[in-house]
Amino acid sequence: MQTKFLRPSRLGVLAIAALLLAGCVTRSISNSGYPGSNNPLYHGELSDFDVLGAPATGPITDTQIAETLASAKQLAPHRNERILVIQSGAMTPDSEMLSALGADFSLGSLSGVPGQPHNDYARQLRLIAAQGGYGQLLCYWGTLESSKTDEVTKAVSWVPIAGWLVPDQTQKMRIVLRAVLVDVATGHWRMYRPLPIDDEQLSAMIGRRSSDQDQVARLKDAGYSALAHDIVASAE
């Protein structure tokens, strides 16, 4: 007797994918409050093109690409140099990031809230930095990815009052960061991508929100320190 294998329907595949993704949450470091309590000042992220410049219009030749590559240099920050810092999506960079960089560089900050999109946005950022006397511009992006696992004590949480105090859920979270350093005069740039950092925390129903925000704060501290370390290590 031949066994017949049924091909899953498109709806079935989507249902399976939804189950796999259930409980997974991704949020920006600029909108990192407890899920469901969004930051009213958050209006999305800057795109790479907002910071690095829009793609060139018109024909691009292999010769042009080769000449650009030949003239490119490995951009590096200089200790005590003035750097204008932008956190994508935030009115101001997080203080922990500024503290992590502040010992080695003279810092200014600029809003990373997206404005009206246009082709010269990146050049405008460079002009603003130049007007303030900043030789380099640093923009960074970050996400917090989390998933939750119910523990065997979850059933106790159904018990009124007492169950709220029993730790019954583990949240795994990681922070993923990247940054771009831009030379204000030339537009040349360099990217930094520290390794993601993971954290795990057990919480009870009554303290879920504060537990989540403690975890966010720990990961930001660790992530910003790692990113700052990479930037400082590349300094001349």
Side-chain angles (χ1 to χ4, degrees), residues 30-72:
S30 299
N31 188 30
S32 59
Y34 190 69
S37 57
N38 291 335
N39 177 3
L41 299 178
Y42 179 73
H43 299 290
E45 304 284 323
L46 295 173
S47 73
D48 290 354
F49 294 143
D50 286 335
V51 179
L52 302 178
T57 57
I60 299 174
T61 66
D62 290 340
T63 300
Q64 180 184 354
I65 294 171
E67 290 175 349
T68 301
L69 180 60
S71 63

Side-chain angles (χ1 to χ4, degrees), residues 146-219:
S146 60
S147 64
K148 298 178 181 180
T149 304
D150 291 341
E151 304 298 336
V152 293
T153 52
K154 183 68 175 178
V156 183
S157 294
W158 289 99
V159 179
I161 309 302
W164 298 348
L165 305 175
V166 177
D168 64 351
Q169 191 176 82
T170 297
Q171 178 166 259
K172 296 180 180 180
M173 188 184 296
R174 73 172 185 168
I175 187 169
V176 182
L177 296 169
R178 67 185 178 95
V180 169
L181 182 72
V182 180
D183 182 74
V184 169
T186 65
H188 294 165
W189 56 273
R190 175 176 184 166
M191 183 170 287
Y192 298 88
R193 295 183 67 95
L195 292 174
I197 298 175
D198 299 275
D199 187 79
E200 187 172 305
Q201 181 152 313
L202 180 66
S203 67
M205 184 184 301
I206 197 169
R208 200 89 74 205
R209 180 185 294 267
S210 62
S211 175
D212 173 89
Q213 289 302 285
D214 287 345
Q215 202 171 11
V216 168
R218 284 200 306 274
L219 282 173

Side-chain angles (χ1 to χ4, degrees), residues 121-140:
Y121 194 80
R123 203 178 293 267
Q124 276 198 355
L125 288 179
R126 288 167 53 202
L127 177 59
I128 291 171
Q131 288 171 336
Y134 293 93
Q136 293 180 330
L137 185 151
L138 179 75
C139 182
Y140 64 98

